[in-house]
Amino acid sequence: MEKTLSDLQPTVRPDGRLPDATVARLPVYLRALHTLAESGSETVSSEELAQLTGVGSAKLRKDLSHLGSFGTRGVGYEVRMLIELISTTLGLNRSWPVALVGIGNLGHALAGYAGFASRGFRIAALLDADPATVGEVVEGLTVRHVDELPEVVTEHQVSIGVITVPPTAAQQVADRLVAAGVRSILNFAPCVLQVPDGVEVRKVDLAIELQILSFHEHRRLEAAKQPADNQSKNGVLPSSLKPSNLKRRALRRFPGKGVNEEVIGG
Amino acid sequence: MEKTLSDLQPTVRPDGRLPDATVARLPVYLRALHTLAESGSETVSSEELAQLTGVGSAKLRKDLSHLGSFGTRGVGYEVRMLIELISTTLGLNRSWPVALVGIGNLGHALAGYAGFASRGFRIAALLDADPATVGEVVEGLTVRHVDELPEVVTEHQVSIGVITVPPTAAQQVADRLVAAGVRSILNFAPCVLQVPDGVEVRKVDLAIELQILSFHEHRRLEAAKQPADNQSKNGVLPSSLKPSNLKRRALRRFPGKGVNEEVIGG
DNA sequence: ATTTGTGAAAATATTCACAGCG
DNA sequence: CGCTGTGAATATTTTCACAAAT
């Protein structure tokens, strides 16, 4: 039977709650799907999409099953429909106004990220505490003083705050965002934010990612030192690579797309 | 009994493998511990450290228990010893040479991040494919052409590669890094990288984080629309905040520290 | 013939709760 | 008494494997 887009809204949500792990993967699927759509694919199987996203096909199917039953057995999923379904689920059909607080190096880089606007997000305001920065025009927006947060939030209906200030100032900025009514915060400052229940904080932390890599690199080196050791399970090979999942490389690269998208985001 | 630093290396690793979830949290503990050390604390209890890091105290104790038994019952943990223990575990006692590929907006921001060097990482080289950028001096380093990757990696013993190029170029850069012998990659490009087994890739993706926030914001709004609904469990409050974990705010802010650390990393 | 959707099994991760030590 | 360390209980996530659908 044909499935129409209007089937999307009312159906689904068997028990009502989407697993966190699933929510975290939906954006990944969405990106691959957009690329597929651009390259003209109309349908995709769980196996293909799994290859493209680096996720196991069973996991992918289970993820999608939480949104409902929209695949066609023997065929796969309609690309456009999946895009619509995931976008709707994530709330990406509207454009969320974002306030960016802290216009330093990273703030500049983020403000200049074109793809920001492209899907679901719009930088509504830039703010900073430094009088030297306030008033500066960055990417067409005049930087306003962080004291004006309450007005700015109301004015632009800001629902997401991005913090790119030094860690010493981050908590204060978070408090102000919360006081102004913002309930979703993306924190780039390397510190833990304390917020009341009901406020969602996500953290992006370069140092932590590097330190996790460091751990694995360290393990590798330690393992290489002890080649006598019984590295039976999940062992680290001394100096050559295991040539296992090479079939993955088969449909690795997407058909060329000319867009020179900026590096951050998607 | 006194515990000495030399106890650290030989002991521990009951079964041999540290849970991924634990590894991912160790850097968070480490940061809080550094702050505690700077403020002069000599010991810390699991409860305090839990407050500071936003992790449950039982989870924290279980995490630390994977590294061995280094606490003192009735007292807590020695801050300096925990720092040493976690640093050693993560392999942060040496300085890892990092190659940064892609000197655009974000690349510049990362190259300029002083705290990079501060703990365990050192930018050894900057590379780019754009002839206009190659030769430019950024933060004291001359940008080299990405074709020179093999030489650069050998020259500086690069063990970690950071990718900040547009997504269309990211896979190619990853392939070159791997070919040059790099086994740990931090990818800022919004795409999935395919690498052979044995290569560790971590991804930092602004758009994904925003989209996850979008989902929660969306849920919140949907929930607010249906106030008649039985929002019993994990319900979203319509317009005011639940004032629950307020005690957390008690020891929220660290004693003032003058360092004006840059925003990224730590 | 192929691929979805999903129970059931296995693996991971978190939380509880308390014995045991200082 | 206070706090660690940890088995046992619970929750979450992943993986398996196959019946059902087209």
Side-chain angles (χ1 to χ4, degrees):
Chain A
M1 184 205 288
E2 251 310 278
K3 277 157 200 141
T4 67
L5 291 180
S6 42
D7 289 334
L8 295 180
Q9 278 288 30
T11 334
V12 304
R13 307 291 162 82
D15 73 302
R17 193 140 227 91
L18 223 38
D20 284 351
T22 296
V23 173
R25 278 186 298 263
L26 290 181
V28 179
Y29 304 152
L30 189 56
R31 182 170 293 146
L33 286 164
H34 273 126
T35 315
L36 281 168
E38 279 171 36
S39 77
S41 309
E42 309 225 321
T43 63
V44 65
S45 71
S46 63
E47 190 58 50
E48 288 174 85
L49 195 51
Q51 296 285 329
L52 291 173
T53 55
V55 168
S57 64
K59 200 194 286 190
L60 190 144
R61 285 200 302 279
K62 178 131 299 193
D63 281 343
L64 295 183
S65 79
H66 288 117
L67 310 183
S69 254
F70 293 101
T72 308
R73 293 169 196 230
V75 178
Y77 303 88
E78 259 188 65
V79 172
R80 297 232 69 89
M81 154 163 289
L82 261 196
I83 289 176
E84 205 51 43
L85 174 62
I86 295 178
S87 296
T88 303
T89 304
L90 292 175
L92 296 175
N93 288 334
R94 67 200 289 306
S95 172
W96 299 98
V98 173
L100 186 51
V101 187
I103 313 302
N105 271 338
L106 181 62
H108 265 99
L110 293 187
Y113 167 47
F116 222 137
S118 81
R119 290 204 240 286
F121 304 95
R122 177 172 54 83
I123 296 199
L126 306 176
L127 301 101
D128 202 294
D130 181 3
T133 307
V134 172
E136 195 183 316
V137 176
V138 176
E139 301 289 330
L141 285 173
T142 304
V143 178
R144 300 180 62 171
H145 195 277
V146 72
D147 286 348
E148 299 178 56
L149 242 178
E151 297 89 305
V152 169
V153 168
T154 310
E155 226 170 84
H156 295 96
Q157 305 257 50
V158 168
S159 47
I160 298 178
V162 177
I163 299 181
T164 50
V165 301
T168 43
Q171 181 63 56
Q172 197 191 23
V173 169
D175 290 345
R176 293 202 197 190
L177 282 168
V178 171
V182 174
R183 297 292 147 69
S184 298
I185 294 177
L186 181 54
N187 179 30
F188 282 86
C191 63
V192 178
L193 296 181
Q194 309 284 356
V195 296
D197 281 1
V199 176
E200 185 83 13
V201 176
R202 295 197 65 87
K203 191 166 74 163
V204 172
D205 193 322
L206 167 69
I208 286 179
E209 299 303 325
L210 281 176
Q211 287 173 13
I212 295 172
L213 284 179
S214 166
F215 171 75
H216 291 288
E217 198 68 19
H218 182 59
R219 293 283 285 185
R220 220 191 303 278
L221 259 54
E222 288 301 307
K225 264 193 224 161
Q226 319 256 337
D229 229 343
N230 185 9
Q231 292 286 340
S232 53
K233 192 192 164 193
N234 202 354
V236 182
L237 61 177
S239 81
S240 66
L241 300 171
K242 272 182 285 180
S244 94
N245 60 349
L246 288 180
K247 63 175 175 192
R248 290 213 169 170
R249 301 174 78 88
L251 63 132
R252 211 174 58 177
R253 277 183 261 273
F254 298 134
K257 64 179 249 214
V259 194
N260 188 5
E261 221 176 335
E262 220 338 335
V263 58
I264 318 164
Chain B
M1 187 204 288
E2 252 306 279
K3 277 154 201 145
T4 68
L5 291 181
S6 43
D7 290 333
L8 295 181
Q9 276 290 31
T11 335
V12 303
R13 306 292 162 82
D15 74 300
R17 193 143 227 90
L18 223 37
D20 285 350
T22 295
V23 173
R25 279 185 299 262
L26 290 180
V28 179
Y29 304 152
L30 189 55
R31 182 170 292 145
L33 286 164
H34 273 126
T35 316
L36 281 168
E38 280 171 35
S39 77
S41 309
E42 309 224 321
T43 63
V44 66
S45 71
S46 64
E47 189 57 49
E48 290 174 83
L49 195 50
Q51 296 285 330
L52 291 172
T53 55
V55 169
S57 64
K59 199 194 284 189
L60 190 144
R61 285 200 303 281
K62 179 135 292 191
D63 281 343
L64 294 183
S65 80
H66 288 118
L67 311 183
S69 252
F70 293 102
T72 308
R73 292 168 199 235
V75 179
Y77 303 87
E78 259 188 66
V79 172
R80 297 232 69 88
M81 153 163 289
L82 260 197
I83 288 177
E84 206 51 43
L85 174 61
I86 295 177
S87 296
T88 303
T89 305
L90 293 176
L92 296 174
N93 289 333
R94 67 200 290 303
S95 171
W96 299 99
V98 173
L100 185 51
V101 187
I103 313 301
N105 272 337
L106 181 62
H108 264 98
L110 294 186
Y113 168 47
F116 223 136
S118 81
R119 290 204 242 287
F121 304 95
R122 178 172 52 84
I123 297 199
L126 306 177
L127 302 101
D128 203 294
D130 180 2
T133 307
V134 172
E136 195 182 318
V137 176
V138 176
E139 302 288 330
L141 285 172
T142 304
V143 177
R144 298 178 65 171
H145 194 277
V146 72
D147 286 348
E148 299 179 57
L149 241 179
E151 297 89 304
V152 168
V153 167
T154 310
E155 226 171 84
H156 295 96
Q157 305 257 48
V158 168
S159 47
I160 298 178
V162 177
I163 299 181
T164 50
V165 301
T168 42
Q171 181 63 56
Q172 196 191 22
V173 169
D175 289 346
R176 293 202 197 192
L177 282 168
V178 171
V182 173
R183 296 292 144 68
S184 297
I185 294 176
L186 181 54
N187 178 30
F188 282 86
C191 62
V192 177
L193 296 181
Q194 309 285 356
V195 295
D197 281 3
V199 176
E200 184 83 13
V201 176
R202 294 198 64 86
K203 190 166 74 162
V204 172
D205 192 322
L206 167 69
I208 286 180
E209 299 303 324
L210 282 175
Q211 287 173 11
I212 295 171
L213 283 179
S214 166
F215 170 75
H216 291 288
E217 198 67 22
H218 182 58
R219 294 283 284 183
R220 219 191 303 277
L221 260 53
E222 288 301 307
K225 262 193 226 161
Q226 319 255 336
D229 228 343
N230 185 9
Q231 292 286 340
S232 52
K233 191 191 166 194
N234 204 356
V236 182
L237 61 178
S239 81
S240 66
L241 300 171
K242 272 182 284 181
S244 94
N245 61 348
L246 287 180
K247 62 176 175 189
R248 288 215 172 170
R249 301 174 78 89
L251 63 132
R252 213 174 55 178
R253 277 184 262 273
F254 297 135
K257 64 182 252 215
V259 194
N260 189 4
E261 222 176 336
E262 222 335 337
V263 59
I264 318 164

